Amino acid sequence: MTQGEGTAVVLRPPRNTLNERAVGWWRTQWLLLAAGPVVPLVVLGALIEPARFWLLLHAAVLAAAGTAAAVLLPLWWFRTHRWEITEDAVYVRTGFFWQEWRIAPMSRIQTVDTVRGPLEQLFRLATVTVTTASAKGAVRIAGLDHEVAADLARQLTRITRDTPGDAT
C-alpha cells in the first residue's frame, strides 16, 4: 500500500488477522440468533398436539440452518477479514465474493472508539471503530483481542494527533 510520486496506489492485503477467539464469538452469535425462533417453536410444539409435527419440523430446519451457519461462516470470515495500521492510514479488507476495502487516511480520522459488548467481554475481544467524515461511515475492526484493541486505540490517537489535517 504505497504511493510514489505520479504513481497509483498499490493495494496489497492488510497484514493482520483477527484474534482466533473471534470464531467462537461469531459462532455464539449465530447460535443465539438461531435459538430465538427455535426455542418458541419447540415449546409450542410440545404444548400444541395438533400442530406438533409442523412446529417441530420448522424448529429442526431452523436449528440445522443456524448450526450450519455457526460452523461455516465464522471460519470463512476469519480467513477473509484483514486489517492494518500504518503511519498514513487504517486499512480494512472484508469479504470474499464481494470484497470491500476501507481505507481511512490518518488526516481524516475524527474519533477512535473501542467497544466491548457482553459477548465480546466473555471472549476477551473488542471492536475498534474509526470514524471519519466519509459518507460510507466508520471503519470497524471487530474481533480484536481486547488488549490489542486498547493498544491500537492509543496508537491511532497518537498518530492522528501528530498528523496534520487534510486541507481539501
Side-chain angles (χ1 to χ4, degrees):
M1 291 182 236
T2 60
Q3 182 175 355
E5 194 66 35
T7 61
V9 174
V10 178
L11 288 178
R12 60 168 169 70
R15 292 193 171 120
N16 303 310
T17 62
L18 302 177
N19 189 282
E20 310 84 39
R21 292 187 308 270
V23 173
W25 173 53
W26 286 325
R27 281 189 175 146
T28 302
Q29 289 178 13
W30 272 106
L31 292 173
L32 289 172
L33 181 67
V38 169
V39 170
L41 286 171
V42 169
V43 169
L44 289 173
L47 297 175
I48 306 171
E49 167 100 31
R52 180 169 294 147
F53 173 78
W54 294 109
L55 290 168
L56 295 179
L57 175 66
H58 285 91
V61 168
L62 287 173
T67 301
V71 169
L72 299 174
L73 291 178
L75 290 174
W76 191 355
W77 294 338
F78 182 75
R79 290 186 180 117
T80 59
H81 284 62
R82 297 285 181 270
W83 65 276
E84 185 173 352
I85 305 300
T86 67
E87 292 293 319
D88 299 318
V90 176
Y91 300 88
V92 177
R93 188 194 72 186
T94 59
F96 181 76
F97 292 116
W98 287 272
Q99 286 189 359
E100 180 179 31
W101 291 76
R102 298 290 309 276
I103 302 168
M106 292 298 175
S107 62
R108 306 291 286 197
I109 293 176
Q110 295 175 336
T111 62
V112 177
D113 301 302
T114 303
V115 177
R116 297 184 69 208
L119 279 179
E120 284 177 301
Q121 291 178 46
L122 181 67
F123 284 91
R124 298 184 327 272
L125 297 172
T127 298
V128 172
T129 303
V130 178
T131 306
T132 67
S134 168
K136 182 76 173 170
V139 174
R140 294 185 47 194
I141 308 171
L144 297 173
D145 178 85
H146 67 97
E147 291 175 356
V148 170
D151 290 342
L152 186 59
R154 282 191 289 278
Q155 178 186 3
L156 286 171
T157 300
R158 180 193 53 79
I159 293 171
T160 56
R161 182 192 64 224
D162 297 340
T163 302
D166 194 352
T168 58

